[in-house]
Amino acid sequence: MKILFEISYVGSAYHGFQVQKTLPTVQRTVQTALEKIYGCPLLVSGCSRTDAGVHARRFFLTAEGEICDAPPCEAIPFIAPRYLPDDIAVLSARNVSDDFHVRYDVLYKEYRYFIYNAPHMDPFLSKRAYHFPKPLDEHRMNRAAQYLCKRADFSSYMAKGSDVIDTVREIKYCTVERNGDMITVKIAADGFLYNMVRIISGTLLEVGTGAKNPEEIDEITSSKRRERAGRTLPPDGLYLWKVEYKNPDGAEQNEE
């Protein structure tokens, strides 16, 4: 039996999603909880490998095992809080076909990066958004973001040390919006390179300060040189926001 779970989590206390031997991760925490609920060993796989400190508004994972005498799927979101910490929630659960793959059946994922642009940090946003106290021009940032909306080699925005060979991705949309003191970078693609969203956000931030021009984005992308792009922003402001699947047995599209 294979069950698809939609979860949400604050990643501040975890060293990413993927299981690590000695460090707390979202995958290990959720797997331990689900095995207590179902009473058997489970194979848990996630839709993405979020980094340490990164959050997820909508995240999908599957659990497989010899499940019998299990509670109905619709009851799991109400049972799970007994076994999970407060920073992880199960939003839904449903049976899916054995050939559904939680990662390979993804059409695209949307990430959002939140920049709190005010002179002083809001303590209630600590580890939930990146604080940048100097003025930012979100209109320049949004203009620059449009140059990223294409299929291209995005290795300029990949952290050094990654062993990925194919660095071509398609960015479906990238926008920058302001709501009061909060600036939000929205970026959706068919796949992401290591630290890609955080580096793109850092590059757009430099456009917002005037250190780079919007028109430079094309040159930065085509250079395929990491040093041409901006710095990698901290994980605190990064959220996996939405996942859309191509497989009808997978997750339905999440509304914004």
Side-chain angles (χ1 to χ4, degrees):
M1 181 182 292
K2 182 181 286 189
I3 301 175
L4 178 68
F5 298 88
E6 183 180 5
I7 70 171
S8 184
Y9 61 83
V10 175
S12 303
Y14 303 98
H15 290 259
F17 175 78
Q18 197 80 1
V19 166
Q20 298 187 40
K21 286 184 178 179
T22 59
L23 298 171
T25 65
V26 176
Q27 184 178 20
R28 184 181 299 280
T29 304
V30 173
Q31 181 168 339
T32 299
L34 292 179
E35 288 179 347
K36 289 178 180 178
I37 293 171
Y38 288 106
C40 65
L42 297 171
L43 174 64
V44 172
S45 304
C47 66
S48 183
R49 296 179 179 181
T50 55
D51 294 333
V54 175
H55 317 296
R57 179 179 177 269
R58 290 290 188 270
F59 188 100
F60 290 91
L61 58 86
T62 52
E64 300 176 67
E66 298 297 325
I67 299 172
C68 56
D69 297 326
C73 285
E74 57 269 23
I76 299 300
F78 303 98
I79 297 171
R82 304 176 199 168
Y83 303 95
L84 285 171
D86 292 341
D87 51 11
I88 301 176
V90 175
L91 306 178
S92 68
R94 56 177 290 196
N95 293 310
V96 290
S97 63
D98 289 339
D99 60 355
F100 171 76
H101 198 288
V102 71
R103 187 153 56 95
Y104 298 145
D105 283 347
V106 171
L107 265 179
Y108 72 86
K109 291 178 281 191
E110 180 190 304
Y111 279 88
R112 296 189 183 184
Y113 196 93
F114 292 93
I115 302 170
Y116 186 64
N117 186 213
H120 306 288
M121 181 58 182
D122 181 342
F124 292 98
L125 294 175
S126 177
K127 297 190 181 298
R128 302 292 194 279
Y130 171 60
H131 177 225
F132 190 79
K134 299 177 181 178
L136 288 172
D137 185 335
E138 71 276 12
H139 301 295
R140 282 172 55 89
M141 295 170 69
N142 189 56
R143 249 188 7 257
Q146 304 319 302
Y147 289 98
L148 294 163
C149 301
K150 58 185 176 182
R151 185 168 185 81
D153 185 329
F154 286 103
S155 52
S156 294
Y157 311 99
M158 180 177 69
K160 290 184 177 180
S162 174
D163 58 359
V164 172
I165 297 174
D166 181 7
T167 52
V168 174
R169 300 290 186 272
E170 182 180 358
I171 293 182
K172 297 183 176 295
Y173 57 83
C174 185
T175 63
V176 181
E177 302 171 358
R178 179 187 286 273
N179 184 5
D181 291 327
M182 189 67 77
I183 291 177
T184 305
V185 179
K186 300 179 185 178
I187 179 167
D190 59 359
F192 292 90
L193 304 172
Y194 184 47
N195 284 348
M196 180 172 163
V197 178
R198 291 162 60 187
I199 295 171
I200 285 176
S201 298
T203 306
L204 295 177
L205 185 144
E206 290 188 12
V207 173
T209 64
K212 284 182 170 59
N213 293 318
E215 296 74 23
E216 288 183 60
I217 297 298
D218 258 347
E219 297 175 14
I220 294 170
T221 303
S222 60
S223 74
K224 303 177 188 177
R225 292 167 56 193
R226 170 66 187 92
E227 62 270 19
R228 290 289 307 277
R231 65 190 179 90
T232 306
L233 294 187
D236 301 354
L238 183 59
Y239 295 70
L240 175 58
W241 200 260
K242 182 166 78 170
V243 181
E244 184 170 341
Y245 284 96
K246 58 188 175 184
N247 189 323
D249 284 340
E252 297 178 357
Q253 180 176 344
N254 292 307
E255 299 299 328
E256 295 186 14

